[in-house]
Amino acid sequence: MKSSTKLLVATTILALLAPSLRAGGTLKEARDTWLKGNYDEAQEIYSALLKDAKLRVPASIGLSKALQSEGEYDEALGVLDAALKDAPKDLDLLARRAELLHYRGQWDDAEKTAQKVVAEKEDHFLARYVLAMLERERGNLAAADEQFRWFVRTYTKRNNDDKDITDADELLLVGLAAAEYARYHHQSDQFDFLVNELFPDALKKDKLFWQAAYEPGRIFQEKHNKAAAERAYTRTLALNPRAAEVF
């Protein structure tokens, strides 16, 4: 058999196997694929996982993020709305929906949805962060300041109680909120803590979590440390070469 024919056969076999491999993917595999910037493949894995009722909620959230990464906001929202028909009271779905509505500028709906979540679970990080950002963007700085302060206090209290936050996504939200709080109160030492401890800690929790490498770059750039910012952005692109935020 000629080498070209062998290559064609091998390619065909892989193509036939690919759907079954994706169908057998896990939530971690899907998330890792998304974080690496392989958005189409991540969408396929998440879509396959939707068939499992036990995984439908986290798979829907993941799929919405993978779609958002390619600017498909309508499709992302549609995935969440479809999942909410089966689980209308799921707080994580509602919070993710509030986040997406906020991105799209639908502030009233975003606020209403996030408030619904916080009413049921006061310490839901994502819903609280959405509310904080809405206050900031509406110019309600005192209210925003209080919302951002909640994250700082919660992080400190859990640390003091030996109940450290271990979820990378939650650590990222704490870092983002703490940065806003530091800006309001001119706490330069807080930025040192964020770039040297908190964001690196989030990256340790999830070694592919490029967002935790990206945010220090933004802070360095804000502080006019271009060399450090470039190093952070380069590290981010090493994790996800398709991270549009960096470009």
Side-chain angles (χ1 to χ4, degrees), residues 1-10:
M1 185 181 294
K2 295 181 179 180
S3 59
S4 59
T5 305
K6 289 181 179 179
L7 178 60
L8 177 61
V9 171

Side-chain angles (χ1 to χ4, degrees), residues 16 18 29 39 53 75-76 163 204 212 229-230 235:
L16 292 171
E29 180 187 351
Y39 303 133
E75 290 81 352
K163 297 179 180 178
K204 287 179 183 177
E230 184 175 5
R235 184 182 186 187

Side-chain angles (χ1 to χ4, degrees), residues 82-102:
L84 282 166
K85 290 181 180 179
D86 295 327
K89 295 183 179 180
D90 188 273
L91 300 183
D92 291 337
L93 275 175
L94 289 169
R96 169 60 184 150
R97 188 174 191 276
E99 180 185 31
L100 194 54
L101 289 171
H102 168 240

Side-chain angles (χ1 to χ4, degrees), residues 10-235:
T11 303
T12 303
I13 292 174
L14 287 174
L16 292 171
L17 286 176
S20 62
L21 289 173
R22 288 193 290 269
T26 64
L27 286 172
K28 184 181 186 309
E29 180 187 351
R31 177 181 169 86
D32 288 351
T33 303
W34 167 62
L35 288 173
K36 291 176 181 177
N38 300 324
Y39 303 133
D40 290 341
E41 185 180 351
Q43 291 169 28
E44 292 179 10
I45 299 173
Y46 278 125
S47 295
L49 292 172
L50 289 177
K51 299 174 184 178
D52 187 335
K54 295 180 181 179
L55 302 177
R56 191 166 298 148
V57 167
S60 297
I61 293 173
L63 179 56
S64 74
K65 291 180 180 180
L67 288 165
Q68 181 183 333
S69 293
E70 293 194 308
E72 303 292 350
Y73 290 91
D74 289 339
E75 290 81 352
L77 189 61
V79 168
L80 296 174
D81 288 341
L84 282 166
K85 290 181 180 179
D86 295 327
K89 295 183 179 180
D90 188 273
L91 300 183
D92 291 337
L93 275 175
L94 289 169
R96 169 60 184 150
R97 188 174 191 276
E99 180 185 31
L100 194 54
L101 289 171
H102 168 240
Y103 283 144
R104 292 176 53 133
Q106 297 172 248
W107 289 0
D108 291 342
D109 288 341
E111 181 180 30
K112 187 183 303 182
T113 304
Q115 285 179 337
K116 184 185 297 185
V117 176
V118 173
E120 293 292 327
K121 185 179 179 183
E122 186 179 3
D123 63 345
H124 196 290
F125 281 46
L126 180 54
R128 272 195 166 273
Y129 185 74
V130 170
L131 291 174
M133 291 300 291
L134 287 170
E135 295 289 9
R136 189 199 72 169
E137 289 164 5
R138 286 169 170 161
N140 303 326
L141 299 187
D145 182 44
E146 189 59 33
Q147 290 277 12
F148 290 130
R149 179 181 294 179
W150 179 89
F151 285 89
V152 176
R153 288 176 171 172
T154 299
Y155 176 86
T156 302
K157 185 177 186 305
R158 293 197 183 182
N159 186 47
N160 292 337
D161 294 342
D162 291 326
K163 297 179 180 178
D164 293 347
I165 299 169
T166 58
D167 181 84
D169 292 283
E170 290 188 347
L171 282 172
L172 178 68
L173 293 176
V174 170
L176 292 173
E180 291 291 340
Y181 184 76
R183 293 183 184 102
Y184 290 174
H185 298 277
H186 309 289
Q187 297 178 346
S188 58
D189 59 329
Q190 182 79 302
F191 292 111
D192 290 334
F193 172 74
L194 293 176
V195 300
N196 293 314
E197 295 190 43
L198 191 143
F199 287 128
D201 187 31
L203 194 53
K204 287 179 183 177
K205 305 299 183 188
D206 187 340
K207 299 186 186 305
L208 295 175
F209 195 48
W210 62 265
Q211 292 87 341
Y214 168 67
E215 290 302 331
R218 293 185 64 206
I219 291 176
F220 285 130
Q221 186 172 353
E222 177 183 334
K223 302 304 178 183
H224 307 289
N225 188 340
K226 295 182 180 179
E230 184 175 5
R231 287 194 296 271
Y233 293 148
T234 299
R235 184 182 186 187

